[in-house]
Amino acid sequence: MPAATLARGGSHAHQAALLRRADRSADAAEAAVGHVWRLILAALETPGPPHAVASRVAHAAQQLPTVGANVLADLEAGARDAARLTAADIARRLPARAVARLLSRGRRWHRPAGLLEDESPVALEELADLILPPLLPSQVRAVVYRGGWWDRVAALSKLADPGVLAAKVAAGVQQGWTVQRIAADIRPAVQGVVTSARRVARTAGLWIAHEAELHVYEEGLSDIVVGYTVRAVVDEATRKKHRERNGTAYYRHPKAGQLGYDSMPRPPRESPKDGGGWSFNCRCFLDPILSPDL
């Protein structure tokens, strides 16, 4: 008996929404560092003795560590957003017999009248809540911290140590450098934080979104999901390897000739058999395969 299929129309739209959410995290991280940089420039442009200018710069740079905390908070929010988007998407795409099976689990006594017939956002949200409860705070933290990203985020502020910046500024002022020259001298350190913050936030945001997505599938639908198909966004920017694996299926309990989860990538991360490395800017995603016994 062939496996049941999901309505395909929404899968790419759903993943596009997750990509936009990851980009939002990257933009927020970049903007946060940019705000600190503007504070540093304002401190440089305020007249005063070298020690006073250096002190103001160090005070402004002290806000850099908050960037890491803000990125982590945004990643947690991103995990919740991804889970909610996934629940709504799966509720829209599941065949009616799969929904009926899920609703029979006993979470509610009855199905609200017309829920399957009415695809309004409110109805889909109700259905998603019925079959796929939202992530608990502990589950959000488990998803966010699973990949060790907090170490990378925490390290961002160390790229531009406030004390080192202040010392450079003081030396520059004492030598009579202009604000422009001093800014050029310390810009690479701050720019390193900008670049790293954006890269970490986007890649971590996308990976966490997909981990939250998988959490929804595995925790809420494990009795009807038997595997996943990897999908690629196929265009001129797609990696050759990712283009070639597009449409490949992986199964929880593989039969002869089938691939198992040990061969399955978890975008933007490669499969365990391929070393589990990160593919930055990867836009692939996993689409669930439903049980043929529905």
Side-chain angles (χ1 to χ4, degrees):
M1 184 176 181
T5 57
L6 292 168
R8 286 291 307 281
S11 59
H12 282 277
H14 168 58
Q15 295 305 318
L18 295 186
L19 281 168
R20 288 193 296 272
R21 181 61 180 81
D23 283 337
R24 198 173 89 195
S25 294
D27 291 342
E30 185 175 17
V33 180
H35 172 68
V36 177
W37 176 243
R38 288 189 293 275
L39 292 177
I40 290 173
L41 289 179
L44 284 172
E45 292 170 353
T46 303
H51 71 275
V53 176
S55 177
R56 286 195 296 268
V57 169
H59 180 73
Q62 289 291 346
Q63 294 196 39
L64 282 173
T66 67
V67 173
N70 290 340
V71 170
L72 274 177
D74 184 77
L75 293 179
E76 290 190 2
R80 291 190 293 270
D81 290 345
R84 186 173 63 252
L85 285 167
T86 300
D89 176 68
I90 205 74
R92 181 174 62 253
R93 295 198 293 138
L94 279 176
R97 63 186 183 279
V99 174
R101 175 168 169 174
L102 293 169
L103 291 175
S104 68
R105 290 173 170 176
R107 285 190 176 134
R108 301 289 174 88
W109 286 104
H110 65 282
R111 174 172 64 85
L115 195 57
L116 294 180
E117 292 74 25
D118 178 9
E119 286 202 354
S120 69
V122 173
L124 284 172
E125 187 173 336
E126 286 186 41
L127 178 56
D129 286 344
L130 280 172
I131 62 178
L132 300 166
L135 292 180
L136 299 173
S138 59
Q139 294 171 323
V140 169
R141 288 191 294 272
V143 166
V144 170
Y145 293 109
R146 188 176 299 141
W149 286 106
W150 65 94
D151 289 333
R152 297 168 185 243
V153 171
L156 292 178
S157 60
K158 297 177 183 178
L159 295 176
D161 182 85
V164 173
L165 292 182
K168 286 188 174 185
V169 169
V173 172
Q174 287 174 341
Q175 294 178 57
W177 289 1
T178 63
V179 168
Q180 291 74 18
R181 184 173 177 181
I182 295 173
D185 188 49
I186 65 175
R187 185 187 297 274
V190 180
Q191 186 59 46
V193 181
V194 173
T195 303
S196 296
R198 181 169 189 85
R199 183 175 64 249
V200 168
R202 189 183 190 282
T203 303
L206 192 54
W207 181 74
I208 285 167
H210 285 163
E211 286 296 296
E213 185 178 42
L214 281 175
H215 182 93
V216 169
Y217 294 149
E218 291 296 302
E219 294 296 319
L221 304 172
S222 60
D223 54 338
I224 66 171
V225 170
V226 297
Y228 298 92
T229 301
V230 65
R231 308 284 184 195
V233 177
V234 181
D235 57 24
E236 65 281 357
T238 306
R239 292 172 172 85
K240 180 176 183 292
K241 179 180 178 180
H242 293 188
R243 185 189 301 269
E244 292 172 348
R245 76 185 184 189
N246 182 40
T248 304
Y250 307 86
Y251 292 89
R252 189 187 311 276
H253 303 294
K255 299 177 182 177
Q258 294 180 335
L259 296 172
Y261 284 2
D262 60 336
S263 299
M264 184 177 75
R266 295 176 76 124
R269 200 165 192 170
E270 299 299 326
S271 73
K273 283 190 174 180
D274 287 334
W278 301 95
S279 293
F280 291 96
N281 296 318
C282 171
R283 295 166 296 161
C284 297
F285 61 93
L286 299 174
D287 212 14
I289 302 169
L290 302 187
S291 168
D293 300 324
L294 288 174

